[in-house]
Amino acid sequence: MMTFPRFELVDHPTNLNYTEKNPHPKKERHGDCGVRAISLALNIPYEEVWTEATKIKRQFRGKKSKVTANYGLGRRELWYTLIALGHGNWKFKSTPNKYFTLRNLPDICIALVPGHWTTVKSGEVYDSWDCRGKRLKQLRGYFAPK
């Protein structure tokens, strides 16, 4: 007898499920979506990611900068944070004219939707809030393992 994998039907335009997860130690949400996304995608403690991301941001801004990873991560800052954490094999793929949907994403990635980084694993969005929205969003690109 042949068995087929079970697929859960998702009643959302993205065909992605959503699970609320916030790795922040105090469960705060304040512009640190890049740190949360890396922490969730790679299963690395939030504090470790935040420390590396803050170092990277300060390197780009100058030695006297007081900026932290709470002020968000640009694409280059996220990339260098991945490298600092030993995950330089993750590469960014730009996705012009694509939407944030299951079919446009690899099995595991850190996706960039307008103004926000989020983690996607096996058709599931992991984030501190449901960033899928009610209508389809543009997918700017994503970081995924090579």
Side-chain angles (χ1 to χ4, degrees), residues 21-112:
K21 285 199 177 188
N22 187 354
H24 190 286
K26 296 178 183 175
K27 303 301 179 207
E28 295 176 359
R29 297 185 294 184
H30 46 65
D32 62 342
C33 61
V35 173
R36 289 193 316 263
I38 293 170
S39 177
L40 291 169
L42 302 175
N43 296 316
I44 296 174
Y46 177 93
E47 296 88 344
E48 184 179 338
V49 178
W50 187 90
T51 300
E52 287 302 322
T54 296
K55 285 180 195 174
I56 299 297
K57 283 190 79 69
R58 289 180 178 170
Q59 285 174 2
F60 286 141
R61 303 283 172 101
K63 292 180 183 180
K64 294 184 179 185
S65 176
K66 301 266 190 233
V67 71
T68 69
N70 291 346
Y71 297 100
L73 297 178
R75 190 172 103 186
R76 190 171 67 146
E77 293 164 338
L78 196 136
W79 163 238
Y80 279 98
T81 301
L82 287 170
I83 293 169
L85 293 167
H87 292 274
N89 63 324
W90 283 56
K91 299 296 180 202
F92 188 79
K93 177 170 174 46
S94 184
T95 54
N97 305 317
K98 300 275 185 188
Y99 287 102
F100 182 59
T101 63
L102 178 63
R103 74 170 178 235
N104 292 329
L105 296 166
D107 192 49
I108 181 170
C109 69
I110 298 171
L112 177 60

